[in-house]
């Protein structure tokens, strides 16, 4: 039975008999395989016996398999497969509808073809079982990912030969190649699913899909042709310096066509897959469903592609960088400054980021989307690192360059510099938010996991290994913080310069001080030497509220308030100014004017000036309370309890004694 040679016969009874003999032979070898699986499991030491049986089965298969393939190909020829491809006269934009011989075959031919198809499926199933046993249990995973079927490959092989004939004529018009491939795949997919899927189910090939096998085989055919006939030539030409611009343009055009084609394939299979919600099983299928699979085995081509994408993106951005309008916050952003919104907002207007930030992120996302049909998470991660990752660092340098070119100085009365720096901070903040949002998406988490699995584990526990853009986000956060600190330093320095005479003048809080400049909504008055500092501070804060995003402005004004509290309290303690009764009243009026400036940003701004509040409490103590406190503090007995009774917790004992020392009781 095993040595029987099958051939196509005009006698249908002979063909049926030979088919039955073939199935009996496959059944016999399947039974043998079942026995061998038991031997491996319970008697692994019988490896010599296993090897001997495998050798005999291999000899049998070496006879049956070629003959089964030859018979199947003969059946296909008798059916009229492959159909002729009839391109239109004007080239290949439109291809006439292709008849499907599988749908049109008559009953007897359908029966013979079905028997041959099932026989090939049975042979493949037997082969898979033998490979699982012989090689490794790890191959089981690879086999579950392999959606190729021998019977489907036999359909693709002859039609691919005819398609490649046309492909070679369209080397300068690759869009025709993809149009023809899509037309063939789409026209036959319904018939293949209707005719062949029941046969696959009958052959009990669990998890196999006729549609997926058909699309996968056709996609791989196109991918192999492009790899050998198109991209190989482009990579050679790319090495020639003067040809690089033309090669880059052709390369990008090809990638555009590939991405569009891959998306059409996903649509045909009803995968309903989007980039930010990719299913866990998609990668198992995608290697055979994507023309980009050619880059899996050619990392050098991946780098060339990434370099071309990067240069193209930089070319787009470069023209925008020199436009000053691109760095200016729009009026739409400024008009909405008083609206109550959450800090983590999504739009560029809400973050008051300049248009350049949105334009930059758009380019970044376009590069990321280029690899959305990449068949491997690790490959996608590498491509993004080569393109979007590198592009991010280049843009960070531009932000740093613009900041260094902006002169922030305390003596400047011009708001342009501070507005420019606020725009840079807003841009950094907006990009930071978007990168964090992207990193939280499933596909980026999978890419990060793939990166971690492919490299040595990172020992630094402080680094978030699940964040794809960890380093970029950390760099943006550092820039944002440093620039805020620069603004805070400038504001505090200018306040110090303008108020220096006020805090150092021994007569500032004397009885003979002349008072002018009434404060709004109060009967108190402000010292002349303090007015300019307050006016400058108010102007700076107003400008920054308009120009800075809400989150950073909140951090900024609180830090400024903290710095002013520290500066004034330290200056009062160290200045050795005498406080007369009227001077205390004057100091309180001045501090209320200072705190009043922060009233638009907080319901209780005095809470951010704890040291000043405590100094005022000390200056308002009655004479008996003051002596009692001095006595407690000098003996250092229950001093802390005494301070808590008066609500003092931020000033040290020495600072308290220094303030009380220069308080003068006079009529």
């Amino acid at each position: 039975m095993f040595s029987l040679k099958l051939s196509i016969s005009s006698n249908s009874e002979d063909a049926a008999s030979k088919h039955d003999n073939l199935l009996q032979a496959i059944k016999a070898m399947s039974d043998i395989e079942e026995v061998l699986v038991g031997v491996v499991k319970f008697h692994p030491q019988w490896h010599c016996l296993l090897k001997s049986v495998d050798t005999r089965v291999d000899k049998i298969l070496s006879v049956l398999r070629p003959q089964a393939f030859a018979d199947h190909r003969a059946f296909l020829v008798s059916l009229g497969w492959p159909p002729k491809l009839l391109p239109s006269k004007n080239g290949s934009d439109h291809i006439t509808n292709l008849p499907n011989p599988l749908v049109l075959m008559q009953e007897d031919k359908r029966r013979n073809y079905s028997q041959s198809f099932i026989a090939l499926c049975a042979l493949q199933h037997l082969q898979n079982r033998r490979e699982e046993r012989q090689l490794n249990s790890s191959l089981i995973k690879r086999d579950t990912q392999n959606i190729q079927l021998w019977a489907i490959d036999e359909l693709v092989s002859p039609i691919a030969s005819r398609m490649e004939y046309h492909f070679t004529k369209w080397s300068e018009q690759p869009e025709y190649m993809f149009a023809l491939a899509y037309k063939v795949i789409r026209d036959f997919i319904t018939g293949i699913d209707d005719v062949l899927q029941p046969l696959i189910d009958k052959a009990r090939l669990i998890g196999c899909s006729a549609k997926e096998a058909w699309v996968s085989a056709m996609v791989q055919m196109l991918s192999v042709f492009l790899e050998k006939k198109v991209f190989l030539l482009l990579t050679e030409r790319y090495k020639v310096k003067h040809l690089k611009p033309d090669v880059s343009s052709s390369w990008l055009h090809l990638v555009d066509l590939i991405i569009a084609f891959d998306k059409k394939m996903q649509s045909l299979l009803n995968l309903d897959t989007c980039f930010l919600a990719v299913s866990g099983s998609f990668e198992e299928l995608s290697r055979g469903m994507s023309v980009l699979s050619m880059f899996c085995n050619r990392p050098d081509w991946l780098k060339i592609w990434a370099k071309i994408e990067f240069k193209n993106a930089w070319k787009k951005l470069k023209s925008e960088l020199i436009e000053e309008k691109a760095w200016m916050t729009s009026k739409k952003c400024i008009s909405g400054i008083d609206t109550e919104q959450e800090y983590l907002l999504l739009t560029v207007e809400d973050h008051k980021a300049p248009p350049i930030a949105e334009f930059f992120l758009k380019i970044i996302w376009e590069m990321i989307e280029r690899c959305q049909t990449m068949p491997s998470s690790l490959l996608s991660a590498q491509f993004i690192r080569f393109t979007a990752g590198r592009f991010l660092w280049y843009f960070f340098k531009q932000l740093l360059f613009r900041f260094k070119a902006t002169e922030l100085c305390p003596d400047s009365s011009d708001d342009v510099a501070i507005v420019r720096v606020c725009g840079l901070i807003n841009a950094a903040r907006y990009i930071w938010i978007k990168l964090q949002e992207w990193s939280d998406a499933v596909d980026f988490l999978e890419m990060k996991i793939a990166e971690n699995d492919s490299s040595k584990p990172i020992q630094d526990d402080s680094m978030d290994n699940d964040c794809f853009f960890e380093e970029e986000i950390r760099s943006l956060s550092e820039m944002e913080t440093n620039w805020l600190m620069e603004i805070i330093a400038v504001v505090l320095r200018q306040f110090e310069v303008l108020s220096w005479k006020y805090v150092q003048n021994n007569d500032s809080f004397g009885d003979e001080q002349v008072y002018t400049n009434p404060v709004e909504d109060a009967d108190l008055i402000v010292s002349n030497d303090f007015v300019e500092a307050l006016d400058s501070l108010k102007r700076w804060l107003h400008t920054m509220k308009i120009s800075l995003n809400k989150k950073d402005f909140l951090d900024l004004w609180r830090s400024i308030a903290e710095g002013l509290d520290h500066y004034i309290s330290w200056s009062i303690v160290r200045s050795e100014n005498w406080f007369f009764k009227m001077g205390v009243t004057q100091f309180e009026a001045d501090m209320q004017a200072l705190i009043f400036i922060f009233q638009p940003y907080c319901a209780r701004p005095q809470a951010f000036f704890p040291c000043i509040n405590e100094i005022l409490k000390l200056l308002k103590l009655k004479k008996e309370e003051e002596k009692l406190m001095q006595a407690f503090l000098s003996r250092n007995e229950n001093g802390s309890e005494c301070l808590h009774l008066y609500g003092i917790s931020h000033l040290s004992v020495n600072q308290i004694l220094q303030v009380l020392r220069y308080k003068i009781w006079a009529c």
Side-chain angles (χ1 to χ4, degrees):
M1 179 175 60
F2 290 155
S3 62
L4 179 65
K5 293 186 179 181
L6 302 176
S7 61
I8 296 298
S9 172
S10 57
N11 191 328
S12 59
E13 295 182 359
D14 291 344
S17 175
K18 292 174 182 178
H19 172 73
D20 291 339
N21 290 338
L22 175 60
L23 292 181
Q24 290 180 35
I26 296 173
K27 176 65 168 59
M29 287 184 289
S30 296
D31 294 340
I32 293 173
E33 184 61 31
E34 194 69 31
V35 173
L36 295 182
V37 170
V39 171
V40 170
K41 183 176 181 180
F42 298 107
H43 304 285
Q45 69 275 17
W46 294 357
H47 56 274
C48 292
L49 175 62
L50 290 171
K51 186 176 180 180
S52 176
V53 175
D54 278 335
T55 301
R56 295 189 180 188
V57 173
D58 285 336
K59 290 181 179 179
I60 298 170
L61 287 175
S62 65
V63 175
L64 289 182
R65 193 160 45 209
Q67 189 62 52
F69 276 102
D71 293 344
H72 189 76
R73 289 165 187 164
F75 275 126
L76 289 177
V77 172
S78 67
L79 295 176
W81 187 273
K84 294 183 179 180
L85 304 179
L86 303 175
S88 59
K89 297 180 180 179
N90 60 350
S92 67
D93 328 22
H94 302 87
I95 310 239
T96 57
N97 291 331
L98 303 176
N100 190 345
L102 298 180
V103 177
L104 301 176
M105 57 185 173
Q106 298 175 354
E107 186 61 30
D108 56 339
K109 290 187 176 181
R110 180 186 294 272
R111 182 175 57 256
N112 291 337
Y113 175 77
S114 299
Q115 293 173 348
S116 179
F117 186 94
I118 292 175
L120 278 188
C121 290
L123 271 176
Q124 184 174 4
H125 181 61
L126 173 63
Q127 182 69 18
N128 290 340
R129 290 183 61 198
R130 298 186 73 235
E131 288 178 352
E132 290 173 12
R133 173 181 57 81
Q134 292 174 345
L135 298 179
N136 267 318
S137 58
S138 62
L139 186 61
I140 298 176
K141 183 177 180 180
R142 291 198 296 270
D143 282 345
T144 58
Q145 294 177 3
N146 184 11
I147 58 177
Q148 297 298 113
L149 290 174
W150 291 350
I152 300 293
D153 290 341
E154 290 303 310
L155 289 174
V156 172
S157 180
I159 201 171
S161 300
R162 293 192 177 183
M163 292 175 66
E164 289 177 1
Y165 167 77
H166 297 286
F167 288 170
T168 54
K169 299 187 297 182
W170 299 330
S171 59
E172 300 298 326
Q173 297 171 307
E175 57 272 12
Y176 291 166
M177 302 181 192
F178 291 94
L180 177 60
Y182 176 68
K183 180 68 175 178
V184 172
I185 294 173
R186 187 191 63 184
D187 285 357
F188 290 121
I189 192 169
T190 302
I192 285 177
D193 187 46
D194 293 341
V195 175
L196 302 186
Q197 188 61 49
L199 300 180
I200 293 175
D201 297 338
K202 187 176 180 180
R204 297 180 181 178
L205 294 181
I206 300 175
C208 291
S209 167
K211 289 173 63 175
E212 291 175 0
W214 166 252
V215 173
S216 176
M218 291 295 294
V219 167
Q220 288 303 303
M221 176 274 300
L222 178 59
S223 179
V224 170
F225 178 84
L226 292 174
E227 178 181 355
K228 294 181 178 180
K229 303 296 184 179
V230 180
F231 278 97
L232 187 61
L233 178 61
L234 286 178
T235 53
E236 292 298 324
R237 294 175 60 194
Y238 186 77
K239 298 175 183 178
V240 183
K241 187 174 182 179
H242 69 276
L243 295 179
K244 279 189 176 182
D246 293 337
V247 173
S248 299
S249 178
S250 299
W251 195 298
L252 293 175
H253 181 54
L254 266 174
V255 171
D256 289 338
L257 295 173
I258 290 174
I259 293 173
F261 181 80
D262 285 347
K263 290 180 179 179
K264 289 180 179 179
M265 295 302 100
Q266 293 179 18
S267 177
L268 283 178
L269 294 173
N270 298 320
L271 292 180
D272 296 328
T273 306
C274 65
F275 188 46
L276 287 179
V278 78
S279 64
S281 62
F282 176 66
E283 186 172 343
E284 297 180 1
L285 302 176
S286 61
R287 189 179 183 98
M289 300 298 179
S290 174
V291 180
L292 293 178
S293 60
M294 71 178 76
F295 291 103
C296 292
N297 301 320
R298 300 303 299 260
D300 53 332
W301 289 8
L302 184 70
K303 291 182 179 179
I304 293 175
W305 176 24
K307 187 180 295 185
I308 293 173
E309 291 284 356
F310 176 83
K311 290 182 177 180
N312 183 59
W314 181 249
K315 184 179 179 181
K316 295 178 183 177
L317 182 66
K318 195 173 182 180
S319 59
E320 291 292 325
L321 292 176
I322 60 177
E323 293 290 338
E324 197 62 33
K325 291 182 179 179
W327 295 92
M328 296 173 61
T329 304
S330 66
K331 294 181 179 179
K332 182 179 179 181
C333 302
I334 297 176
S335 62
I337 60 173
D338 294 323
T339 57
E340 292 295 330
Q341 297 176 357
E342 296 294 331
Y343 299 139
L344 297 179
L345 301 170
L346 299 178
T347 65
V348 65
E349 290 83 8
D350 292 329
H351 288 286
K352 300 181 183 178
I356 191 68
E358 183 74 6
F359 185 75
F360 166 74
L361 287 171
K362 179 182 177 182
I363 295 176
I364 287 287
W365 187 248
E366 286 176 353
M367 285 193 288
I368 292 174
E369 283 188 316
R370 303 285 276 176
C371 65
Q372 65 178 325
T373 60
M374 197 76 78
S376 163
S377 293
L378 181 59
L379 204 66
S380 298
Q382 291 174 349
F383 178 80
I384 293 175
R385 296 294 186 199
F386 292 152
T387 54
R390 184 184 171 199
F391 200 63
L392 280 166
W393 291 109
Y394 266 70
F395 189 71
F396 295 169
K397 291 181 180 179
Q398 293 298 317
L399 294 178
L400 287 170
F401 175 78
R402 286 189 65 86
F403 175 78
K404 292 178 180 179
T406 303
E407 296 183 3
L408 273 178
C409 58
D411 301 331
S412 175
S413 60
D414 188 7
D415 294 339
V416 175
I418 195 70
V419 171
R420 289 185 63 180
V421 174
C422 287
L424 295 177
I425 294 174
N426 294 340
R429 178 73 184 174
Y430 183 59
I431 295 172
W432 184 95
I433 292 293
K434 298 304 289 186
L435 291 182
Q436 186 65 59
E437 178 185 320
W438 295 348
S439 295
D440 291 339
V442 174
D443 59 317
F444 281 99
L445 293 175
E446 290 179 347
M447 285 188 283
K448 186 60 182 178
I449 293 173
E451 283 187 327
N452 292 340
D453 292 343
S454 66
S455 58
K456 295 181 180 179
I458 300 174
Q459 301 297 329
D460 186 6
D461 295 335
S462 64
M463 184 173 181
D464 183 6
N465 294 335
D466 294 332
C467 184
F468 188 83
F469 293 107
E470 168 66 22
E471 294 185 14
E472 292 83 354
I473 290 175
R474 185 166 50 199
S475 179
L476 282 169
S477 180
E478 290 176 359
M479 284 193 294
E480 184 182 2
T481 302
N482 292 339
W483 295 343
L484 283 173
M485 293 303 297
E486 289 284 348
I487 294 178
I488 293 169
V490 168
V491 173
L492 294 178
R493 177 57 181 163
Q494 186 181 55
F495 188 89
E496 178 184 359
V497 170
L498 297 177
S499 64
W500 181 255
K501 183 179 179 181
Y502 169 78
V503 298
Q504 295 298 326
N505 190 355
N506 290 331
D507 297 329
S508 295
F509 311 111
D511 284 332
E512 304 300 327
Q513 180 73 17
V514 179
Y515 310 110
T516 58
N517 302 324
V519 181
E520 294 179 6
D521 301 329
D523 296 327
L524 302 176
I525 52 179
V526 181
S527 300
N528 287 335
D529 294 339
F530 203 45
V531 171
E532 187 179 1
L534 294 179
D535 183 66
S536 175
L537 175 63
K538 183 177 181 180
R539 178 177 57 82
W540 278 84
L541 288 174
H542 178 70
T543 300
M544 288 182 288
K545 185 178 188 296
I546 293 176
S547 305
L548 200 58
N549 68 83
K550 192 172 183 179
K551 173 63 173 63
D552 283 328
F553 178 71
L554 176 65
D555 295 338
L556 181 134
W557 77 255
R558 288 181 175 180
S559 298
I560 290 177
E562 181 183 357
L564 292 174
D565 183 58
H566 175 78
Y567 163 67
I568 292 177
S569 60
W570 180 86
S571 299
I572 293 299
V573 171
R574 296 298 182 92
S575 65
E576 300 183 356
N577 287 334
W578 296 96
F579 282 89
F580 294 90
K581 183 178 180 180
M582 195 55 144
V584 173
T585 304
Q586 178 61 53
F587 179 69
E588 182 180 12
D590 294 339
M591 294 305 101
Q592 286 184 5
L594 172 64
I595 295 173
F596 182 78
I597 292 176
F598 293 87
Q599 187 69 48
Y601 319 125
C602 179
R604 294 184 63 252
Q606 60 270 22
F608 295 93
F609 296 88
C611 294
I612 292 177
N613 290 331
E614 292 180 3
I615 290 177
L616 286 171
K617 289 180 182 179
L618 293 173
L619 294 176
K620 291 181 180 181
L621 287 176
K622 296 179 180 179
K623 194 170 186 178
E624 295 76 11
E625 293 175 328
E626 178 185 336
K627 289 182 178 180
L628 182 62
M629 180 179 288
Q630 287 177 329
F632 274 121
L633 294 178
S634 60
R635 292 196 303 267
N636 201 22
E637 297 177 0
N638 298 323
S640 59
E641 295 181 5
C642 176
L643 294 178
H644 284 300
L645 289 176
Y646 292 98
I648 297 175
S649 59
H650 292 81
L651 296 178
S652 66
V653 173
N654 291 334
Q655 289 174 329
I656 294 172
L657 293 174
Q658 186 75 359
V659 173
L660 295 177
R661 176 185 174 188
Y662 290 101
K663 180 181 178 184
I664 298 177
W665 293 94
C667 297

